[in-house]
Amino acid sequence: PPGDRPGRSTEWAEREGQMFLAQAGELLAGQLDEDMVAALAGQLLVPRLADWCGVWLTTDGPETRLSHVWHRDEQHIRELRRSLEKDRPPTGLSTTGAPWPWPGSPDTEEGGSALAFPLIADGQCHGTLLIGQVPHLTDAAVRLAEDIARRVAQAVLIARRYTRQASISRTLQRRQLPTSLAMIPGVDTAIVYEPRGEGQTVGGDFYDLFPMGDRRWCFLLGDVCGHDLEAMSVTGLARHLVRLLAREGHGVESLLNRLNLAMAEEAAEAMALSGEQEGSRFLSLLYGELEPDPVAGGARCTIASAGHPLPLRLLTDGSVTEVADPQMLLGIHQHEEFHASTFTFAPGETLLCVTDGVTERRRGTHQLDDNGGLADVLRGCAGLGAKAVAERVRRAAHDFSTEPIDDDLAVLVLEAVPLLAPKGATRSPFLP
């Protein structure tokens, strides 16, 4: 009966209060959404300490919003919410519970008591916790509610910091990755991109594919060493710098040399300021140019790898070859000279470019690309289109181990396709 609850509440709070606090703290600390924190708070407090609960959270403006309402009798939740929305607690309450008027409702028992607790964490108020009980809240219950309010406030603070971090990541992603891939005549394209970490939207891997005039297209796949926000910001800067250098007329070799010099100089300046080398300023990059054949399809391809997994070419006879030479990472030595390879990318052939999230996918001490493992995967893709090849490679990386992917994963696939030659067209000078 309601009249028996005060004594039982006091006894329970004194006997099991500390265990309850520990369990509540653990549950709240694992939440990264502030509204889920508010919902958990209500379900933790009702009916253990209170008959009902309301949680307000601060907003960017001067107002607060009623995030969650909970009642021991679910039939009263809607009416309780309407009552609480009419009378919002002010910000700037004292750190201890402040008496609050019992919500007026014909379905609510009279004679109850309500207390409002400010949600203070890191010196700021993040909202208000309001609880009520019939006929009154005992001193032991109030002390326990104060401790719960402090834990709720801390959980809300952590959730809000996570939300801000996610917002920063989304902003960086808009700078890091292109909104779309350019269409290339005679070449089909596909991209798979998966940043490491659950819920993460952006990582150290990046890609791009953009036109330069009407006869040349540039493509790239890169990886900044490191996974922190600084590494993610470098990816966006590197991608835009590549576009700028390409627009200035630099070919593959000249572009890599200029980009390497810029990154090496920046790394040297950072080292002079901090006294130590910053690994996130090193960059692996696969960069190439395509000149499509307007008659037969396919393209002339010029490509170079700077510390990046080498691209693989699937020929029409089913064989797989590497089409670039291994070279140094960008940003290590200022005067490193990079060279490129050129080949005819004929219709029916496929070019596979990946980051080390694919090649170094681990199963125990083994990696996916050990003993030409990635080439074997590509060899099994004969006859597939670009999108199907990209998905096959992505699936092979996931299936290689039962452990979660622990690195960014990016796959870029280019497939040369034939074009219907216009009437009267001459033979392409690109093909033998």
Side-chain angles (χ1 to χ4, degrees):
D4 294 339
R5 282 204 307 274
R8 292 206 327 246
S9 176
T10 299
E11 181 183 348
W12 179 86
E14 293 176 347
R15 185 181 68 250
E16 301 183 23
Q18 292 305 311
M19 182 180 297
F20 171 64
L21 280 176
Q23 293 172 345
E26 185 176 348
L27 284 172
L28 292 169
Q31 303 304 318
L32 297 177
D33 180 89
E34 61 182 65
D35 290 307
M36 183 59 71
V37 171
L40 273 176
Q43 295 175 37
L44 285 167
L45 290 166
V46 178
R48 292 179 179 87
L49 289 179
D51 289 322
W52 55 264
C53 172
V55 180
W56 282 264
L57 296 176
T58 57
T59 63
D60 292 335
E63 299 295 327
T64 59
R65 63 183 181 88
L66 185 56
S67 173
H68 187 75
V69 172
W70 196 247
H71 197 289
R72 69 192 313 270
D73 186 344
E74 294 185 11
Q75 295 181 359
H76 294 328
I77 291 178
R78 183 176 298 179
E79 184 64 30
L80 177 63
R81 174 176 284 276
R82 283 198 294 264
S83 297
L84 295 181
E85 284 178 340
K86 295 177 184 177
D87 195 8
R88 297 171 179 266
T91 57
L93 293 172
S94 64
T95 55
T96 57
W100 193 254
W102 190 265
S105 169
D107 296 326
T108 302
E109 296 181 70
E110 297 298 330
S113 61
L115 288 179
F117 300 87
L119 300 179
I120 305 293
D122 200 25
Q124 291 184 327
C125 181
H126 299 278
T128 303
L129 171 67
L130 181 63
I131 63 173
Q133 183 173 282
V134 177
H136 66 277
L137 288 159
T138 66
D139 291 341
V142 171
R143 289 193 299 269
L144 197 54
E146 288 176 345
D147 288 335
I148 290 293
R150 284 191 286 269
R151 285 160 173 77
V152 170
Q154 188 65 31
V156 169
L157 174 64
I158 293 172
R160 289 182 166 182
R161 285 176 175 172
Y162 173 82
T163 300
R164 285 194 294 270
Q165 185 84 355
S167 177
I168 292 171
S169 293
R170 286 191 294 270
T171 301
L172 287 173
Q173 185 184 38
R174 288 194 291 270
R175 291 180 54 83
Q176 175 186 343
L177 303 177
T179 56
S180 62
L181 294 180
M183 301 291 292
I184 307 176
V187 180
D188 282 346
T189 62
I191 183 73
V192 168
Y193 175 73
E194 294 181 355
R196 72 187 285 268
E198 183 179 356
Q200 190 169 330
T201 58
V202 61
D205 290 0
F206 63 103
Y207 60 88
D208 205 354
L209 177 58
F210 56 94
M212 290 304 302
D214 58 359
R215 282 186 54 84
R216 185 163 61 104
W217 276 259
C218 306
F219 64 93
L220 60 92
L221 191 60
D223 184 4
V224 175
C225 299
H227 301 287
D228 57 10
L229 285 176
E230 181 179 2
M232 289 186 253
S233 66
V234 171
T235 62
L237 294 174
R239 184 174 72 84
H240 288 290
L241 185 54
V242 167
R243 285 200 174 207
L244 178 62
L245 291 172
R247 290 193 180 101
E248 290 180 349
H250 293 281
V252 175
E253 295 178 348
S254 176
L255 185 146
L256 289 180
N257 290 335
R258 293 294 186 95
L259 183 59
N260 175 69
L261 179 61
M263 295 198 65
E265 288 178 345
E266 185 179 359
E269 291 175 1
M271 184 176 181
L273 290 174
S274 64
E276 59 182 15
Q277 193 69 28
E278 298 188 16
S280 62
R281 297 180 187 274
F282 297 150
L283 173 70
S284 76
L285 184 67
L286 184 68
Y287 178 69
E289 294 180 354
L290 294 170
E291 295 181 55
D293 185 315
V295 177
R300 172 180 289 168
C301 180
T302 303
I303 193 169
S305 172
H308 202 83
L310 300 181
L312 299 178
R313 177 186 179 192
L314 175 62
L315 302 174
T316 54
D317 62 2
S319 61
V320 174
T321 62
E322 294 177 344
V323 290
D325 298 323
Q327 299 179 85
M328 185 89 56
L329 284 166
L330 296 171
I332 296 181
H333 297 306
Q334 292 187 12
H335 304 296
E336 186 74 19
E337 293 291 330
F338 293 88
H339 62 270
S341 304
T342 300
F343 66 95
T344 299
F345 191 31
E349 296 181 352
T350 298
L351 187 66
L352 172 63
C353 310
V354 302
T355 55
D356 59 12
V358 176
T359 57
E360 297 179 4
R361 172 71 163 139
R362 287 189 172 275
R363 181 176 60 210
T365 59
H366 301 286
Q367 295 183 348
L368 185 148
D369 200 32
D370 287 347
N371 302 314
L374 184 59
D376 291 338
V377 173
L378 182 58
R379 203 171 287 114
C381 295
L384 298 180
K387 290 182 175 58
V389 173
E391 175 57 25
R392 179 75 64 88
V393 173
R394 185 195 73 84
R395 178 46 54 193
H398 279 269
D399 292 346
F400 186 74
S401 173
T402 58
E403 296 296 321
I405 297 285
D406 62 355
D407 196 1
D408 303 329
L409 183 152
V411 180
L412 174 64
V413 178
L414 307 175
E415 178 197 7
V417 296
L419 290 177
L420 294 177
K423 193 173 182 179
T426 58
R427 183 175 179 80
S428 169
F430 294 166
L431 298 177

Short mmCIF file of all heavy atoms in Angstrom, two decimals, residues 131 186 249 391:
data_model
loop_
_atom_site.label_atom_id
_atom_site.label_comp_id
_atom_site.label_asym_id
_atom_site.label_seq_id
_atom_site.Cartn_x
_atom_site.Cartn_y
_atom_site.Cartn_z
N ILE A 131 11.52 14.68 -9.08
CA ILE A 131 10.92 13.41 -8.64
C ILE A 131 9.83 13.69 -7.62
O ILE A 131 9.86 14.70 -6.92
CB ILE A 131 11.97 12.45 -8.03
CG1 ILE A 131 12.61 13.04 -6.77
CG2 ILE A 131 13.02 12.07 -9.07
CD1 ILE A 131 13.52 12.07 -6.05
N GLY A 186 34.13 5.45 -70.90
CA GLY A 186 34.94 4.27 -71.13
C GLY A 186 35.45 3.60 -69.88
O GLY A 186 36.14 2.58 -69.96
N GLY A 249 48.36 22.12 -63.61
CA GLY A 249 49.00 21.45 -64.74
C GLY A 249 50.07 20.44 -64.38
O GLY A 249 50.76 19.93 -65.26
N GLU A 391 32.53 -4.86 -53.85
CA GLU A 391 31.81 -5.56 -52.79
C GLU A 391 32.48 -6.89 -52.46
O GLU A 391 32.56 -7.28 -51.30
CB GLU A 391 30.36 -5.79 -53.21
CG GLU A 391 29.54 -6.61 -52.23
CD GLU A 391 29.48 -6.03 -50.83
OE1 GLU A 391 29.65 -4.79 -50.68
OE2 GLU A 391 29.27 -6.80 -49.87
#
